[in-house]
Amino acid sequence: ITHSEWSSNDAYSASAGSNAGKEKVDGASFKRLPFNFCAVSLQPFAHPVCTSAGTIFDLTNILPWLKKHGTNPIDGAPLKSSELIKLTFAKNDDDEYVDPVTYKVFTDNTHIVAIRHGTTANVFAWDTVERLNIKAKNWQDLVSDEEFSRADITTLQDPQNIGARDLSSFKYLKDGVSTLTPEQEAERNASVNVEALGSSAKILKAKEAVTRARASRDNANPATSTTLKPPAGTKRGIAASSASVQAAAVKSFPYNAAQHTTGKAAASFTSTGLTPQTSGERALLTDEEYMLKPKRIKQKGYARMQTNLGSLNIELLPEFAPKAVWNFVQLAKKGYYRNIAFHRNIRNFMLQGGDPTGTGRGGSSIWGGPFVDEFEGPMTHAERGIVSMANKGKNTNTSQFFVMYRPAKHLDRKHTIFGRVVGGLETLAALENVKTDERDKPVETCVLEDVVVFVDPFEEFMKMRSDKEREEAEKREIERMGGTEDEKMTWTGKRVRRDGAGVDDSRGAEVVGVGKYLKAQVKEQGPVTTTDETVGNWDQGVAEPVRKKVKGGFGNFDGW
């Protein structure tokens, strides 16, 4: 084991090196997407299209995504299929992408641009466009002779700006969103043709045998530790056995399973200091990480801002801004917003607060540092009473927020909207009329006394999930015990044991169903007399059966 292995930042072990606690260097996880790859499928494209920003997709992969999400998978901005631009690449005889004028082969280090003409664009090398169009002041496409302007030039790949093709910055990859279509999911989950695998089929058959053995062991009676075998010919027992094997064969993941694995298999493969791991187990998200995924929690929350001039009832929107709502709710429960002055009040614009220092330069999030913006939702700053996060730039949200006095569309996609005022508009009007100085700081008392959370959407979500898990556990227990009382009874009035055999309830319990009529008929016929079975003596002979004499014919020739 080398020293660098133990002291690296990404060392995976119980005891890490001296630099394991060091913060990651910016760009350390940089992964570059090749220019001829689709940004959604991460595979070479066949029908290239791009956005106005120059992100390249394959048309067959981006259309299902837009139909399902309606956003750009790279940054989460709204995107429509009509905004896509069809790209026309030139190829040489070796099927390589080239510049259509100089025939220079495109590489990952080539500055590539596209000249737009409506919904289509021709692809060139930047050197060609700069030398033959821009410097020569020839504003005609070198392939189609169509006129264009400098604004029609879209950069597809710039070697000096490789961050635009950084896979680690793609939003859908960071969120762990699957990009497979339902057809691709079905194809991935389809069963394997064992007969076509040759010698590899033995491994799969062995796995199936182990799965069946485990299923039979799990179905064993805990009291006797023996497998309950259904009687021969009982369809119920056979169906139950096959269903249990099929259920065991289907691998189920926990609800909080991540899209990525734990990394133990890869780490143990490359490190001699770890116990070998052969299975790629999925990593498990914490409850907080699981709930803070967009569009996961659709329940709305409600809180009340108590000020010295009255109360404001706030509706919280965690569906599209879960991090902002979580931060606000947790800080409120912590008492962070208690007795804080509003430090900025601009009439006909907004009221800002949430800074314990009262200067507008303080405050921290529930995580200690700033958190990212959330712009995926349909909410905009289009009405009075919108509640948004205040920041000092991109992804710098902390504890400060502001309440709008009037629409301000220029703030869209600059500040995260996480709530709106649904009650106490007269209090909002009183706050707006508070006098301020030349720096928009209130000169009269304007204090946020406390924030009380009435409905926590995250607690409601976890409560519903726990109730659902309890119901599923009860359902599985009922199925394990053979079903409900109605399901345990056959149409003849017999109970069905766990092993599938019928049990007559004529002794003790009353028989229901058709069986009760059979029992009544037996009572009418009276008791049936029975005799004890006897066994003869050991030396008692056994009488031979009398042979039937055949009349006529030759018989069996015994007399010959």
Side-chain angles (χ1 to χ4, degrees):
I1 302 174
T2 63
H3 175 270
S4 60
E5 179 178 354
W6 284 107
S7 62
S8 59
N9 289 342
D10 55 353
Y12 194 102
S13 64
S15 58
S18 58
N19 292 334
K22 183 180 178 182
E23 295 183 358
K24 287 187 176 181
V25 181
D26 293 339
S29 60
F30 174 79
K31 294 181 181 179
R32 184 174 182 176
L33 180 69
F35 79 93
N36 60 333
F37 275 50
C38 171
V40 172
S41 65
L42 306 182
Q43 299 294 326
F45 52 67
H47 308 284
V49 294
C50 75
T51 63
S52 58
T55 305
I56 304 178
F57 303 104
D58 192 299
L59 186 62
T60 57
N61 295 318
I62 189 61
L63 287 182
W65 174 276
L66 294 179
K67 185 178 180 180
K68 183 177 180 180
H69 300 278
T71 60
N72 189 329
I74 306 303
D75 56 8
L79 181 64
K80 299 180 181 178
S81 58
S82 58
E83 300 175 2
L84 298 176
I85 304 169
K86 180 182 178 182
L87 297 177
T88 303
F89 280 86
K91 289 186 175 182
N92 57 14
D93 296 338
D94 295 330
D95 203 34
E96 297 174 323
Y97 292 110
V98 298
D99 180 88
V101 178
T102 62
Y103 286 94
K104 288 184 177 180
V105 178
F106 289 156
T107 66
D108 289 336
N109 297 319
T110 306
H111 193 167
I112 305 174
V113 296
I115 298 179
R116 298 195 309 270
H117 305 289
T119 58
T120 61
N122 294 322
V123 181
F124 299 90
W126 167 252
D127 295 339
T128 302
V129 175
E130 184 182 29
R131 185 172 66 254
L132 301 181
N133 289 109
I134 299 177
K135 290 184 177 179
K137 296 183 180 181
N138 176 25
W139 298 102
Q140 288 185 334
D141 193 303
L142 299 175
V143 174
S144 61
D145 288 336
E146 296 182 72
E147 293 186 357
F148 69 93
S149 62
R150 186 181 289 271
D152 295 327
I153 301 176
T154 301
T155 300
L156 302 180
Q157 176 178 262
D158 186 1
Q160 305 300 323
N161 184 24
I162 57 178
R165 304 188 67 80
D166 183 9
L167 288 173
S168 61
S169 65
F170 288 4
K171 189 176 188 305
Y172 78 96
L173 291 178
K174 293 192 292 185
D175 294 343
V177 181
S178 175
T179 59
L180 297 179
T181 61
E183 293 78 9
Q184 292 171 333
E185 290 282 1
E187 182 179 357
R188 170 174 289 187
N189 298 329
S191 59
V192 180
N193 184 7
V194 178
E195 301 299 332
L197 293 179
S199 60
S200 301
K202 297 179 180 178
I203 301 176
L204 292 181
K205 290 180 180 179
K207 283 188 173 182
E208 292 178 359
V210 172
T211 302
R212 286 194 296 269
R214 288 177 178 174
S216 62
R217 185 176 68 244
D218 293 340
N219 292 332
N221 189 354
T224 60
S225 299
T226 58
T227 303
L228 294 175
K229 296 182 179 179
T234 56
K235 296 183 179 179
R236 180 182 179 89
I238 296 174
S241 176
S242 61
S244 63
V245 173
Q246 293 178 358
V250 178
K251 187 175 183 181
S252 59
F253 297 102
Y255 73 93
N256 58 343
Q259 295 289 336
H260 57 276
T261 63
T262 58
K264 292 182 178 180
S268 64
F269 181 75
T270 57
S271 174
T272 57
L274 296 176
T275 303
Q277 299 284 341
T278 58
S279 62
E281 299 178 357
R282 289 196 181 185
L284 297 181
L285 303 176
T286 62
D287 290 340
E288 179 180 340
E289 292 172 339
Y290 177 75
M291 291 188 295
L292 295 189
K293 293 290 183 181
K295 301 181 181 179
R296 177 155 288 165
I297 298 182
K298 302 183 183 299
Q299 299 97 328
K300 296 179 180 179
Y302 294 91
R304 181 177 65 199
M305 291 186 186
Q306 298 176 352
T307 70
N308 63 312
L309 298 179
S311 299
L312 297 175
N313 295 330
I314 308 298
E315 182 182 66
L316 304 175
L317 310 172
E319 182 176 0
F320 297 102
K323 292 184 179 65
V325 175
W326 174 272
N327 177 70
F328 182 80
V329 169
Q330 299 304 319
L331 290 178
K333 289 184 175 181
K334 186 181 175 182
Y336 191 86
Y337 292 123
R338 195 166 296 156
N339 297 322
I340 294 178
F342 290 101
H343 60 271
R344 194 177 179 204
N345 188 16
I346 304 177
R347 185 179 177 85
N348 292 328
F349 184 35
M350 62 86 193
L351 171 69
Q352 184 173 342
D355 178 12
T357 64
T359 61
R361 294 185 295 271
S364 63
S365 68
I366 192 65
W367 301 283
F371 60 94
V372 298
D373 298 321
E374 297 168 298
F375 297 145
E376 289 190 11
M379 294 293 294
T380 60
H381 297 83
E383 58 180 302
R384 179 182 175 90
I386 291 293
V387 184
S388 297
M389 295 299 300
N391 58 46
K392 50 187 176 182
K394 183 179 179 181
N395 299 330
T396 57
N397 302 288
T398 53
S399 64
Q400 296 189 37
F401 59 89
F402 61 90
V403 184
M404 299 298 302
Y405 288 142
R406 57 171 296 177
K409 298 289 289 182
H410 66 280
L411 299 181
D412 293 344
R413 303 195 63 78
K414 294 181 181 178
H415 297 272
T416 300
I417 300 175
F418 68 93
R420 61 182 176 182
V421 177
V422 294
L425 295 178
E426 63 281 356
T427 302
L428 188 63
L431 292 170
E432 186 178 7
N433 294 326
V434 173
K435 296 181 180 180
T436 60
D437 56 14
E438 63 277 1
R439 293 182 299 174
D440 300 320
K441 186 173 183 178
V443 295
E444 300 177 357
T445 303
C446 186
V447 178
L448 175 60
E449 297 177 348
D450 197 5
V451 175
V452 180
V453 179
F454 289 129
V455 179
D456 186 345
F458 303 100
E459 287 185 356
E460 295 294 325
F461 178 81
M462 293 305 297
K463 181 180 178 182
M464 292 175 59
R465 173 156 291 281
S466 62
D467 293 342
K468 183 178 179 181
E469 290 179 351
R470 185 174 63 256
E471 292 176 359
E472 292 177 352
E474 293 175 354
K475 185 177 179 181
R476 287 193 299 268
E477 181 64 19
I478 292 175
E479 292 177 353
R480 190 182 68 83
M481 298 301 295
T484 60
E485 291 299 327
D486 293 338
E487 294 172 348
K488 293 180 181 178
M489 196 72 65
T490 66
W491 68 275
T492 59
K494 293 183 177 181
R495 289 189 298 105
V496 179
R497 292 203 308 253
R498 290 177 56 192
D499 58 359
V503 179
D504 194 352
D505 279 348
S506 58
R507 291 176 299 177
E510 182 181 358
V511 180
V512 297
V514 180
K516 65 183 180 181
Y517 301 108
L518 299 177
K519 184 176 179 181
Q521 184 178 3
V522 173
K523 288 182 178 180
E524 292 176 359
Q525 294 177 355
V528 179
T529 59
T530 59
T531 58
D532 295 338
E533 295 182 357
T534 60
V535 180
N537 297 327
W538 179 263
D539 57 351
Q540 182 178 353
V542 180
E544 283 185 288
V546 180
R547 295 181 180 180
K548 185 178 181 182
K549 296 182 178 181
V550 181
K551 296 180 180 180
F554 294 100
N556 57 2
F557 301 99
D558 287 342
W560 289 60

